Structure formats: C-alpha cells, structure tokens
Amino acid sequence: MNDSNNLCPICGEGNLHPEVGKNPVEYKGQTTELDLHYSLCDACGSEQADATQTRVNKRLMIAFKKRVDGLLVGAEVRAVREKLGLSQAEAAQAFGGGPVAFSKYESDDVAQSEAMDKLLRLAAELPSAFDLLCRRAGLGRVLAGEQWQQAEGWLAEPRHPAEGRRPRLRVVSSSTPSADQPTRYAA
C-alpha cells in the first residue's frame, strides 16, 4: 500500500524515496560538486525535489557563492554573533539589515552584503568599534575604564585639522538650485 505522503505526484503509482546526489556547479570560474537533495519515484523513476529539498539545495549554493566571494558563510556569521554575545535580534539592531537578517545570513538563505561582512569582521576584531555600534543602537554594552578611554579618540566626531573643531557648512550660492546649477557648500 502506498503512503499518501510519499506518493509520486507524476505517476500516482510509486513512492518517493529521498536521495542525495552530486551536482557540479560553477560560480565566477570556481567549480565544485554540491550535494543535491531530491526524491526518486520507485515506479516511474522520476526525480523531483519538494520544498524542503529545494530550500536545502538553495542554501548549499548560496554558501558556495559566499565562499567564492570571500564572505563569511552562515556558520561563521553565527560564530561571530555568538562571540559578541548577541542574539539575532540584537545583532540586527546593532549592525542593521532588518529584524530577521541574521536568521537569513546564518542559515545561508541570503548572502550578506560585502559591507555587512566587513562590519561583522571589524566588530569581532575591535572591541571599541563593537561597543560604539552597541551604544548607538541602545544596547548598553560599555567598555571598562582604559579600554573606553582608548576608544574615545577613535569615537570623537571628525575635526577640521586647521581649526581643531568640526567644520560648519554654509551655503555660498544665493540662488535656488536648479538641475543645471546645484547648491554649493563651503567649509
């Protein structure tokens, strides 16, 4: 008797059995063989992938693309987040990317941008940078004593080198800007 959950939708006769094969792929001149998850019908021999198998295959491909692009793969993103002691929601608050971004990065559902990847690596290597991100996100993580004093120089707002203070912008054009004449500013 056929199990209706595993019944082949193509022939209606056989049962589907999960299989894992190899799939040669190429991305930016790099080639590899990734696992390919699918089901095989024991009656008609058709190969098909359900939603879960398709999701697994997609995640494997995205992880491969991340490696080729030099980005952290999902497990590495999770390791950085955990090293920093953040939940996924806190990481999204500190680094940006949206409320479920880290869930997607860590499961290899999507690739983080190169900028996000660099920011994660920077935060993992520079506690002062990570602390600044957390403070600005309202997460209340604070460096202790000397660490914070060393970080403050880096955190200070940009200063105008000649005057030792932040430059102020002022409009130097009195006309209303048009498409062919943009507003000009001077320090």
Side-chain angles (χ1 to χ4, degrees):
M1 183 170 178
N2 287 337
D3 180 358
S4 62
N5 290 333
N6 292 328
L7 187 64
C8 177
I10 294 176
C11 70
E13 300 284 327
N15 285 312
L16 296 175
H17 301 280
E19 300 281 334
V20 179
K22 290 295 183 185
N23 183 31
V25 294
E26 180 183 346
Y27 177 69
K28 292 185 176 178
Q30 299 285 322
T31 59
T32 193
E33 281 194 351
L34 298 177
D35 285 345
L36 178 64
H37 298 259
Y38 64 98
S39 293
L40 182 64
C41 175
D42 59 11
C44 69
S46 68
E47 297 175 354
Q48 50 200 290
D50 63 19
T52 301
Q53 292 165 326
T54 300
R55 187 176 322 112
V56 169
N57 294 334
K58 175 188 166 205
R59 287 175 175 174
L60 290 169
M61 185 63 188
I62 289 174
F64 170 63
K65 287 180 175 183
K66 284 180 172 184
R67 279 191 297 278
V68 171
D69 289 338
L71 300 176
L72 299 167
V73 295
E76 294 167 327
V77 171
R78 181 175 35 258
V80 167
R81 178 184 57 78
E82 289 173 349
K83 173 186 175 185
L84 297 172
L86 298 173
S87 68
Q88 288 180 339
E90 289 170 330
Q93 191 176 347
F95 297 105
V100 295
F102 278 80
S103 172
K104 292 180 178 186
Y105 301 153
E106 292 174 17
S107 64
D108 290 320
D109 277 334
V110 298
Q112 67 277 10
S113 68
E114 185 178 341
M116 175 65 78
D117 198 83
K118 287 178 180 179
L119 187 59
L120 288 169
R121 292 172 193 257
L122 178 71
E125 291 182 31
L126 287 176
S128 58
F130 172 62
D131 187 64
L132 174 63
L133 290 169
C134 289
R135 289 182 60 214
R136 288 197 174 166
L139 292 175
R141 299 184 189 277
V142 179
L143 292 172
E146 188 177 317
Q147 281 182 311
W148 182 248
Q149 289 173 350
Q150 291 172 355
E152 279 183 322
W154 179 76
L155 300 175
E157 293 195 31
R159 304 284 181 198
H160 191 277
E163 299 175 16
R165 63 180 172 82
R166 203 172 163 202
R168 305 235 185 246
L169 295 179
R170 58 186 168 81
V171 177
V172 294
S173 167
S174 61
S175 64
T176 305
S178 65
D180 60 331
Q181 186 183 27
T183 300
R184 293 183 33 224
Y185 296 94

